């Protein structure tokens, strides 16, 4: 089991909790009260900074209810935080765009993350033709 060093912005931030057996994604909360008008952008402070082990990165995405509850979308759709972003001022933030007027309260759960190992080193081998199953160019959805 890996140990992650974490710094909290203050004592008002709900501490992170990993619930074994429920999900391997961990919820993050807004560290501030936020009021956005439709069309506005903001980096929402998440109230944590972490020192990830070398060879690991965090994948940060909205919770499934974030759009419905708050009318915001994450502008980079999936944030990647690598192990080098680990200084005392390297606070995690979520870049959002408001599609409607909205209010987010401190400690509202707005996104989630998981820790992943970095991709292994790979090599590309160019071939004339692939020999796998042909799905007619439509992935798992099949033909149009």
């Amino acid at each position: 089991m890996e140990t992650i060093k974490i710094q909290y912005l203050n004592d008002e931030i709900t501490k992170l909790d990993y619930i074994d057996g429920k999900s391997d994604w961990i919820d993050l909360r807004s560290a501030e009260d936020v009021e956005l008008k439709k069309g506005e952008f903001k980096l929402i402070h998440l109230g944590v900074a972490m020192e990830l082990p070398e060879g690991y990165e965090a994948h940060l995405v909205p919770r499934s209810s974030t759009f419905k509850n708050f009318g915001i979308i994450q502008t980079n759709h999936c944030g990647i935080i690598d192990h080098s972003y680990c200084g005392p001022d390297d606070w995690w933030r979520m870049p959002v765009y408001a599609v409607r007027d909205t209010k987010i309260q401190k400690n509202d759960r707005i996104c989630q993350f998981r820790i992943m190992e970095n991709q292994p080193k790979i090599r590309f081998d160019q071939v004339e033709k692939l020999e796998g199953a042909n799905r007619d160019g439509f992935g798992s959805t099949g033909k149009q």
Side-chain angles (χ1 to χ4, degrees):
M1 176 184 302
E2 295 288 345
T3 300
I4 308 292
K5 292 180 183 177
I6 186 167
Q7 174 183 336
Y8 291 95
L9 180 63
N10 57 45
D11 289 335
E12 297 174 20
I13 306 303
T14 300
K15 305 298 186 253
L16 298 188
D17 189 20
Y18 179 78
I19 304 170
D20 195 24
K22 183 176 181 225
S23 171
D24 57 357
W25 290 84
I26 301 167
D27 288 340
L28 287 168
R29 300 165 184 266
S30 176
E32 58 188 334
D33 292 333
V34 175
E35 189 168 339
L36 293 168
K37 298 292 184 196
K38 180 180 179 178
E40 288 185 330
F41 168 83
K42 179 163 180 64
L43 288 169
I44 298 178
H45 202 306
L46 300 173
V48 296
M50 295 185 213
E51 187 176 313
L52 302 177
E54 189 167 344
Y56 288 84
E57 62 194 22
H59 293 195
L60 179 80
V61 298
R63 296 181 76 243
S64 59
S65 61
T66 297
F67 182 77
K68 175 181 68 78
N69 290 342
F70 303 108
I72 57 174
I73 56 174
Q74 185 173 341
T75 58
N76 58 354
H77 302 287
C78 177
I80 307 297
I81 303 167
D82 67 32
H83 80 276
S84 70
Y85 191 72
C86 62
D89 294 321
D90 290 338
W91 296 104
W92 290 20
R93 291 176 169 83
M94 181 184 185
V96 302
Y97 178 82
V99 298
R100 61 175 162 83
D101 292 358
T102 189
K103 290 182 182 179
I104 300 166
Q105 302 300 314
K106 185 184 297 181
N107 280 315
D108 279 344
R109 295 182 300 163
I110 58 171
C111 59
Q112 58 190 338
F113 77 100
R114 69 184 306 187
I115 306 296
M116 305 285 295
E117 284 190 71
N118 294 137
Q119 178 171 289
K121 292 183 181 181
I122 59 172
R123 176 178 60 86
F124 292 100
D125 184 18
Q126 184 175 341
V127 297
E128 290 297 318
K129 185 175 183 180
L130 298 175
E131 296 181 18
N134 189 1
R135 298 175 104 175
D136 294 323
F138 292 101
S140 62
T141 60
K143 296 181 181 181
Q144 285 187 349

